[in-house]
Amino acid sequence: MINLQSILLKLKNKHFLSLVGNGSMSVLAMVTVGILLRFMHKDDVGYWFFFQSVFVLLDTFRTGFLQVAMIKFYTGAEKNRADAVLGSVWFLSLLITSVLIVINLGAVFFLPYIQNFGIVSVIQWFGITFLLTLPSAIASWILQSDQRFDKLLLLRIINQGTFIVMVLGIIFFKKLSLDLVLITNATSAGLVSLYCIAQGWTRIRTFTKRTKESILELFHFGKYSVGTTISTNLLRSSDTFIIMFVLGAAGPAAVAMFTIPMRLMEIIEIPLRAFLSTGMPSMSEAFNKGRKEEVVAIMQKYAGTLTLALFPVSILAILLADVAITLLGGSQYSGTNAVSVYRIFMSFAMFFPIDRFLGVTLDIIHQPRINFYKVLVMLFTNVLFDFIGIHLFGNINGVALATLFTFLSGVFFGYFWLKKYLDFTIFGFFTVGFGEIKMMLHQFLSKRKTA
């Protein structure tokens, strides 16, 4: 007999909700990309992806400065301290938002002299979109810190779902254009933020409880973590920028082609973000209580288990690469360089969790400066090998191959420095991960036998 209450309790598990939250967001994002690829001109899609890359990069000044810092100082704090941290987060968020909007307004005066339509779109639409996303961004940080993954799941679905519904409405009535997509993006962001405020998820009333001490504490931690996050996002978007400008007239269409396998990498990113979302607060709490061995155990458990679990997924993705590209981008991208790029990515992507957890753990143990240097090394490696790859291959395959060298540089640098503070080995990721998978399989088989 099915125990409905037992099933509901499992569905409310924070790990499951985090996985579903990240998964639903990624699936909806891929649905959006699929729609845009089919109903927009290739160049327009390329410019939209370029706008998204620049927006995410600039948004990093806000997210990178405050998200990790807020999780660190807010998680587990008593109420007065927690309110002071949230109020200070609001203060710094508004300050950062205002500074970037002022810079954006200054760039408007240069529009008559700019020929690249992608840059023009960024200048025209960044400021208003950046402002409208502020409340929903802070709401998502708070919900993650409170480990309210049920509400975070709802927020993510509403966020992406609103945009999709509005885009489909435009397609029904008229032809989809870049300008209409940009307008829809800003409008949906504003509606989601209003919903977050109405639900009380933003905790905006704590603004009056900010303190100078909390502001300075967040600032001094954030000045390193923001560099890391900016560099990380620049690392991700540098491929897009290099393709857009180096390949000339073919740039926008090449960006669209390169973005398809990048979006399909969500098959790795979905579980990785879910594991990071649940692992970061646990590691932070363990380190704050002086339990370094527990930090290592959590890091190796999450990264090792996910790495081993992704091996069969990666092999299957390599074999079915053309099918995946066609499903997302349409038949016009079948058999193109998008397929080979996806195969290159998936040939080593299963090791991404190790690299990502090495970096996050450096932040957790109060070494954001070292993590910043780690990402800078990876960024330098990526840009260098991007240019070498394009020179040798003349297409986006060279950019994809550059990612392998980028990943290796990050793992070696992260392991070398983290080893100075924590006692662990790279091999430990696999032994701990294997032990976790073995235990989960044993528990599953035991339940099957009992049933």
Side-chain angles (χ1 to χ4, degrees), residues 47-297:
Y47 286 130
W48 163 249
F49 291 146
F50 178 75
F51 172 83
Q52 288 285 84
S53 297
V54 176
F55 181 86
V56 170
L57 178 62
L58 294 176
D59 180 56
T60 301
F61 281 97
R62 187 169 65 194
T63 303
F65 218 109
L66 297 170
Q67 185 178 21
V68 175
M70 195 195 87
I71 291 173
K72 175 171 181 54
F73 296 113
Y74 171 80
T75 305
E78 54 90 23
K79 188 178 186 306
N80 290 337
R81 162 72 168 161
D83 287 346
V85 170
L86 291 183
S88 301
V89 166
W90 263 107
F91 175 81
L92 289 171
S93 295
L94 288 168
L95 180 63
I96 293 169
T97 302
S98 300
V99 169
L100 287 179
I101 288 177
V102 168
I103 294 173
N104 184 198
L105 290 174
V108 171
F109 295 102
F110 295 94
L111 281 176
Y113 310 101
I114 298 174
Q115 303 300 318
N116 187 288
F117 191 65
I119 297 176
V120 170
S121 299
V122 171
I123 294 174
Q124 289 177 333
W125 287 100
F126 169 76
I128 183 64
T129 309
F130 193 56
L131 177 62
L132 292 173
T133 56
L134 174 59
S136 61
I138 294 179
S140 68
W141 306 342
I142 293 172
L143 293 175
Q144 181 184 347
S145 299
D146 289 338
Q147 300 193 47
R148 290 305 308 266
F149 295 106
D150 52 343
K151 293 182 178 179
L152 189 58
L153 168 60
L154 177 61
L155 172 57
R156 286 169 169 168
I157 292 175
I158 292 173
N159 193 10
Q160 197 69 44
T162 302
F163 179 71
I164 291 176
V165 170
M166 294 179 72
V167 166
L168 289 174
I170 293 172
I171 292 172
F172 183 79
F173 289 106
K174 60 197 305 183
K175 185 177 180 180
L176 197 62
S177 67
L178 178 62
D179 285 337
L180 285 174
V181 171
L182 290 166
I183 292 170
T184 301
N185 182 53
T187 304
S188 64
L191 292 173
V192 173
S193 287
L194 286 174
Y195 179 80
C196 290
I197 294 172
Q199 290 294 316
W201 294 346
T202 61
R203 306 277 291 279
I204 193 170
R205 293 182 179 180
T206 59
F207 180 76
T208 58
K209 298 182 181 181
R210 66 192 184 279
T211 64
K212 181 179 179 180
E213 292 75 16
S214 292
I215 291 172
L216 291 175
E217 192 173 39
L218 289 166
F219 174 81
H220 288 303
F221 185 90
K223 67 184 180 183
Y224 289 116
S225 64
V226 68
T228 303
T229 315
I230 289 173
S231 301
T232 301
N233 277 286
L234 186 57
L235 177 62
R236 295 172 182 169
S237 56
S238 59
D239 293 336
T240 299
F241 298 150
I242 291 171
I243 292 170
M244 173 69 78
F245 296 114
V246 174
L247 293 182
V255 167
M257 188 179 297
F258 189 78
T259 302
I260 299 173
M262 286 291 290
R263 292 292 183 178
L264 286 171
M265 289 300 292
E266 292 296 324
I267 197 172
I268 301 293
E269 290 291 337
I270 289 172
L272 180 51
R273 282 196 296 265
F275 274 50
L276 285 169
S277 294
T278 55
M280 281 176 61
S282 300
M283 285 194 294
S284 181
E285 183 178 355
F287 186 78
N288 289 339
K289 293 180 179 179
R291 299 198 295 259
K292 289 186 177 181
E293 67 286 349
E294 187 177 340
V295 175
V296 171

Side-chain angles (χ1 to χ4, degrees), residues 313-371:
V313 175
S314 297
I315 293 171
L316 188 63
I318 291 171
L319 295 174
L320 300 176
D322 192 60
V323 175
I325 293 294
T326 303
L327 284 174
L328 182 59
S331 58
Q332 69 268 31
Y333 292 100
S334 177
T336 65
N337 286 331
V339 178
S340 54
V341 167
Y342 187 47
R343 288 195 171 115
I344 293 170
F345 283 157
M346 292 306 300
S347 64
F348 56 87
M350 72 286 288
F351 298 107
F352 284 179
I354 294 176
D355 171 60
R356 200 76 62 84
F357 267 91
L358 288 173
V360 166
T361 307
L362 283 169
D363 280 339
I364 294 297
I365 67 167
H366 297 184
Q367 295 299 324
R369 178 173 56 89
I370 301 300
N371 193 27

Side-chain angles (χ1 to χ4, degrees), residues 411-428:
V411 170
F412 287 135
F413 187 93
Y415 174 71
F416 175 80
W417 281 100
L418 191 58
K419 181 73 174 173
K420 294 177 180 291
Y421 302 96
L422 298 174
D423 184 20
F424 75 104
T425 64
I426 287 289
F427 187 68

